[in-house]
Amino acid sequence: MFFRAGATRQTETIGAIAVTALVFTVPAVFPGLEWFHCLMPLPAYYFLSVYDRKQGAVIIAWALGIAGGITLWAGTMPVLLFSLTLLPVGFILAKADRENEPALRAGIKSVVYLVLVWLISGWLVGLATQSNAYLELRQSVDHGFEATFAMYRDSGRFPAKDLEEIKLFIAQLREQVARLFPALLLVSIISTVWLNIVAGQRLLKRKDPSRTNREDLKNWHLPDFLVWLVILTGIALLVPDERLNTLGLNMGLVLLVLYLTQGLAIVSSMMQKWSLPKAVRVITYILLFLQVYGIGFVAVLGLADVWVDFRKPRLKNDADDTSVS
């Protein structure tokens, strides 16, 4: 919860503006905290859901004014402008919350919006600068790999043989990243939207525990037809054609992330069914994400749910509880 229940309305509004301005400003001003970009939609989602649309819009407007002034003074306004492309996701999610729209549908709308706005923005930037935004982004990633190797080389702590192995590893990693770059971009969009949905629903439920009639992410369920894409991905990986293999790898990475979200929903549902303490739940999530095998297991669990339906008894009990109340 952002604020204590005893705070006055005016204090809450000022606090809301301060928190929102902080989220908007941090990734643009402080190097190393660029990952804060992904939280850009969260204040809009939360405050537009907690307050009416007019007051929520006032909070966002004031926060944008403050963030704009700070970034203009710091000379990082272009970074803020990029972050603003994420802001409408918060409006989409808040509208879905007001209308009790399924989280999956709101998530799809948000992903489609971000894909379109980034494609159009990249195209417009390319026209204005006579460059290819996608290739420039790829080149910036390549420069990051080169800088990483230079850091190891210049440290003087590694013998020539180890440096050759590091150079070979970075070259192989660079090649794979270039091959999977489209999927990595799409995965970053999907992950950003899903993170804001999860965080937003958790904050809203803490603010108003009576929101039991709202859809819970433990019941998150992907469309069953996606399993056909899994089959097509497997075929593309088996065909002896490099272009089809690359397409299959990209599709496979995106599907892995999608079924990972469904697997996490299953794990969350089971832990809630078994009434596990919060400490045990946190430790379980940490152990699952500490190794690749854990992530793969959760994704396979999400895929297997298409046939097994692990949460069927839980969903039936929820429906019975709702009908009784």
Side-chain angles (χ1 to χ4, degrees):
M1 191 184 314
F2 277 105
F3 309 109
R4 287 191 283 257
T8 65
R9 189 76 171 199
Q10 185 178 7
T11 304
E12 281 192 0
T13 303
I14 295 173
I17 293 171
V19 169
T20 306
L22 181 67
V23 173
F24 291 173
T25 307
V26 164
V29 174
F30 297 100
L33 294 177
E34 290 84 359
W35 60 271
F36 247 71
H37 284 302
C38 65
L39 297 178
M40 189 79 171
L42 186 57
Y45 177 21
Y46 179 82
F47 292 120
L48 287 171
S49 299
V50 170
Y51 303 115
D52 57 75
R53 278 178 285 187
K54 182 178 179 181
Q55 185 175 0
V58 168
I59 291 171
I60 302 301
W62 270 101
L64 281 175
I66 295 170
I70 294 174
T71 53
L72 182 64
W73 171 77
T76 56
M77 177 68 80
V79 182
L80 176 64
L81 294 178
F82 168 76
S83 297
L84 290 181
T85 60
L86 295 166
L87 184 59
V89 171
F91 287 82
I92 294 172
L93 298 179
K95 182 175 183 292
D97 181 79
R98 287 194 303 270
E99 299 176 358
N100 207 13
E101 183 180 352
L104 179 61
R105 188 182 305 169
I108 292 173
K109 288 181 181 179
S110 300
V111 169
V112 171
Y113 157 76
L114 282 177
V115 169
L116 290 177
V117 77
W118 284 4
L119 284 175
I120 294 172
S121 299
W123 177 65
L124 292 176
V125 169
L127 287 180
T129 60
Q130 297 297 312
S131 62
N132 188 312
Y134 178 79
L135 290 179
E136 287 196 356
L137 186 57
R138 284 269 305 271
Q139 289 172 0
S140 67
V141 174
D142 288 341
H143 292 327
F145 283 121
E146 292 173 0
T148 301
F149 176 70
M151 180 182 66
Y152 282 108
R153 183 192 59 207
D154 298 339
S155 66
R157 294 183 297 174
F158 298 93
K161 184 179 178 181
D162 290 346
L163 283 176
E164 283 299 320
E165 293 179 356
I166 293 173
K167 183 177 181 180
L168 179 61
F169 172 76
I170 291 178
Q172 292 174 344
L173 182 61
R174 181 178 177 178
E175 180 182 348
Q176 292 303 316
V177 167
R179 194 178 184 189
L180 294 170
F181 203 68
L184 292 173
L185 289 177
L186 185 55
V187 163
S188 68
I189 291 174
I190 294 171
S191 301
T192 296
V193 171
W194 193 77
L195 173 65
N196 280 276
I197 292 175
V198 172
Q201 287 199 0
R202 183 170 292 275
L203 287 171
L204 289 170
K205 189 165 288 188
R206 289 184 64 185
K207 175 71 174 178
D208 181 11
S210 66
R211 292 168 56 92
T212 53
N213 63 323
R214 301 301 180 99
E215 180 187 19
D216 199 306
L217 277 173
K218 69 177 184 296
N219 297 331
W220 177 277
H221 195 283
L222 296 171
D224 290 342
F225 70 82
L226 285 181
V227 72
W228 291 104
L229 290 181
V230 176
I231 296 172
L232 291 175
T233 297
I235 295 173
L237 291 173
L238 292 174
V239 172
D241 183 271
E242 186 177 357
R243 287 176 297 181
L244 283 177
N245 292 160
T246 300
L247 177 62
L249 285 172
N250 281 271
M251 289 175 58
L253 180 57
V254 174
L255 289 169
L256 172 68
V257 172
L258 288 175
Y259 281 107
L260 178 63
T261 63
Q262 182 156 302
L264 287 172
I266 295 169
V267 172
S268 174
S269 176
M270 288 181 171
M271 288 195 293
Q272 184 167 340
K273 180 180 179 180
W274 297 331
S275 301
L276 295 178
K278 285 187 177 181
V280 175
R281 300 185 191 190
V282 171
I283 293 173
T284 301
Y285 285 127
I286 291 174
L287 291 176
L288 286 174
F289 280 96
L290 275 179
Q291 51 186 342
V292 177
Y293 297 110
I295 296 174
F297 169 76
V298 175
V300 170
L301 192 67
L303 177 60
D305 190 56
V306 175
W307 297 280
V308 180
D309 198 357
F310 296 101
R311 295 164 290 176
K312 189 175 182 179
R314 179 71 187 177
L315 294 177
K316 183 179 179 182
N317 291 339
D318 290 345
D320 293 342
D321 294 342
T322 304
S323 63
V324 170
S325 60

